[in-house]
Amino acid sequence: MSGTKSGGHADDPFQEGGGSLLRQPKAVWATAGASVVAFMGIGLVDPILPSIARGLHASNSQVSLLFTSYFLITAFAMLVTGFVSSRIGGRKTLLAGLALVVAFAALSGMSGSVGELVGFRAGWGLGNALFVSTSLAVIVGAAAGGSAAAILLYESALGLGMACGPLLGAILGDLKWRYPFFGTAVLMAIGFVAITAFLKEQPRPARKTSLLDPLRALGHGGLASAAVAAFFYNYAFFTVLAFTPFVLDMSPYSSGGVFFAWGVLLAVFSVLVAPRLQHRFGSLKVLGGSLLLLAADLLVLGYGDHTTAVVCTVLSGAFIGLNNTVFTELALGVSDAPRPVASAGYNFVRWFAAAAAPFLAPKIEEWTDLHIPFVVAAAAAVAGAGIVAVRRRALTIEAAEPAPRHAAQDGVSAFAN
């Protein structure tokens, strides 16, 4: 790739160098299956947020801290995961992450207060960060044949998890709000056993990552610009994910259905649509346009009636899918830092917005009215588009091959990292 054009994906990711999407070792399937559950955990609580608030006699802003604690820990964990995995290896890092998720998901289900639940979600976030930041590199390293099919499998796991998380939360949460947490613990325990049985330890990186490497990487103007623009975008993104369930005020089943459709659009536009639009229009045009469309969608969501809010919530998944893919490509290709290091620095910045939005949006509603949180989120998306436009030259990708699927070989993903 040069300039702002996307390098595109392999012509046939299902067949590359003798590898295929379905003909993969058991280790790949075990890790991919656990990845689905890991991504499910992000949106699992969406449809049951109102139920949790009622069950624990908590306010909306208190319950939204479930996202804040989760992603605040995730942000700081970005500085740690590379340090850990480069020293103990990918397999042990995966197992450590899974063990933490199992323990803290189970403890979340036993919480007696919203404070306990928020604290346990923080521990869950650490475990998920260790697992997710390592799983793609492990899948690619263990894959048979070429890498494109394995990466497509991982991206499919990401989309499936994001779509099915709210659905599982709705099905189990309709019985009792505690059950989705216990269900996640059981599924992740199965993943732990599968990875223990089928995944062998892979070679460790030749160079160990230091805790400060991701911060040093942010000294590059292009990477810093991508990170700051993504910070504003993530604020808009997580206003949708964490605040909209309170606005829709639907039953767990109905809310789960809405966010299932949202997750399907996110997956389709991230994996299938974004590369084609990038190839035709260029990455920065796609990103700027998608951010502005997301801002418009948020304004209509905030001021429309209930049906309009449902439609706009689902539609936002398309713009979020586009943004996730293009932002990650920029972060990976815009600087000369090793891709895992660049990804860690970039994500360290952007996940702070994912922690801030779930807490601030309900507070803004309390201080003003229901519409203003979406106005603020739309303004954040516009700010992200403005940074992309102003810093266009710094964000121009000079590397020859940082297309999303190939970039992912270094252990990063369009959403999760």
Side-chain angles (χ1 to χ4, degrees):
M1 177 192 309
S2 67
T4 62
K5 290 288 183 183
S6 168
H9 298 335
D11 289 337
D12 187 0
F14 292 88
Q15 297 287 341
E16 181 190 346
S20 96
L21 182 64
L22 300 179
R23 295 174 183 172
Q24 297 294 338
K26 292 179 180 178
V28 172
W29 286 111
T31 308
S35 297
V36 172
V37 183
F39 293 123
M40 286 170 61
I42 295 174
L44 180 83
V45 300
D46 254 28
I48 58 173
L49 286 175
S51 299
I52 294 173
R54 289 191 294 269
L56 295 178
H57 308 289
S59 66
N60 291 353
S61 58
Q62 288 176 315
V63 172
S64 292
L65 289 173
L66 294 177
F67 285 99
T68 296
S69 63
Y70 183 96
F71 287 111
L72 188 62
I73 294 299
T74 297
F76 284 106
M78 288 298 117
L79 303 180
V80 177
T81 53
F83 177 88
V84 172
S85 64
S86 66
R87 284 163 173 78
I88 69 173
R91 181 177 182 271
K92 291 179 181 177
T93 304
L94 289 181
L95 292 176
L98 286 171
L100 286 172
V101 171
V102 170
F104 284 104
L107 289 170
S108 295
M110 294 185 284
S111 299
S113 69
V114 69
E116 288 183 5
L117 184 54
V118 168
F120 293 143
R121 274 285 281 186
W124 186 341
L126 175 60
N128 218 48
L130 287 171
F131 178 85
V132 169
S133 65
T134 310
S135 57
L136 180 53
V138 170
I139 286 177
V140 174
S147 60
I151 295 168
L152 179 60
L153 179 65
Y154 181 87
E155 291 177 341
S156 300
L158 186 157
L160 183 63
M162 290 299 297
C164 292
L167 207 57
L168 177 67
I171 293 172
L172 296 179
D174 191 56
L175 301 173
K176 195 171 186 179
W177 69 262
R178 299 179 187 273
Y179 290 171
F181 298 109
F182 293 135
T184 300
V186 170
L187 290 174
M188 283 305 234
I190 294 172
F192 185 96
V193 172
I195 288 176
T196 301
F198 298 122
L199 180 64
K200 296 180 180 179
E201 186 59 83
Q202 297 176 301
R204 300 179 189 179
R207 178 183 177 275
K208 293 180 180 179
T209 302
S210 80
L211 293 174
L212 295 179
D213 281 349
L215 298 178
R216 294 190 185 103
L218 290 171
H220 186 280
L223 182 60
S225 298
V228 174
F231 174 91
F232 287 106
Y233 154 63
N234 262 33
Y235 185 93
F237 174 5
F238 283 93
T239 297
V240 174
L241 189 62
F243 181 64
T244 303
F246 296 115
V247 176
L248 298 180
D249 193 24
M250 303 167 76
S251 68
Y253 272 118
S254 298
S255 183
V258 168
F259 278 95
F260 173 76
W262 169 87
V264 169
L265 273 188
L266 186 154
V268 169
F269 275 74
S270 177
V271 176
L272 301 178
V273 179
R276 290 166 172 78
L277 291 180
Q278 287 175 272
H279 180 74
R280 181 170 181 177
F281 299 107
S283 295
L284 297 187
K285 288 182 180 178
V286 172
L287 184 58
S290 184
L291 284 167
L292 293 176
L293 288 172
L294 177 61
D297 181 79
L298 287 168
L299 288 176
V300 176
L301 194 165
Y303 283 92
D305 59 19
H306 188 268
T307 300
T308 301
V310 169
V311 172
C312 288
T313 298
V314 173
L315 183 60
S316 70
F319 308 127
I320 289 168
L322 292 175
N323 292 330
N324 286 343
T325 294
V326 182
F327 262 122
T328 297
E329 181 177 346
L330 288 176
L332 297 178
V334 76
S335 75
D336 56 0
R339 283 166 174 164
V341 173
S343 174
Y346 159 77
N347 286 295
F348 172 71
V349 173
R350 74 175 183 128
W351 284 126
F352 279 108
F359 175 73
L360 289 178
K363 287 293 186 183
I364 292 171
E365 180 198 12
E366 292 173 8
W367 299 332
T368 56
D369 59 45
L370 185 65
H371 310 300
I372 303 303
F374 293 101
V375 174
V376 174
V382 171
I387 292 171
V388 170
V390 171
R391 298 288 292 168
R392 186 179 189 87
R393 185 177 297 274
L395 288 169
T396 298
I397 299 176
E398 301 296 343
E401 73 288 348
R405 292 192 194 283
H406 297 292
Q409 296 174 30
D410 293 287
V412 288
S413 139
F415 178 82
N417 280 347

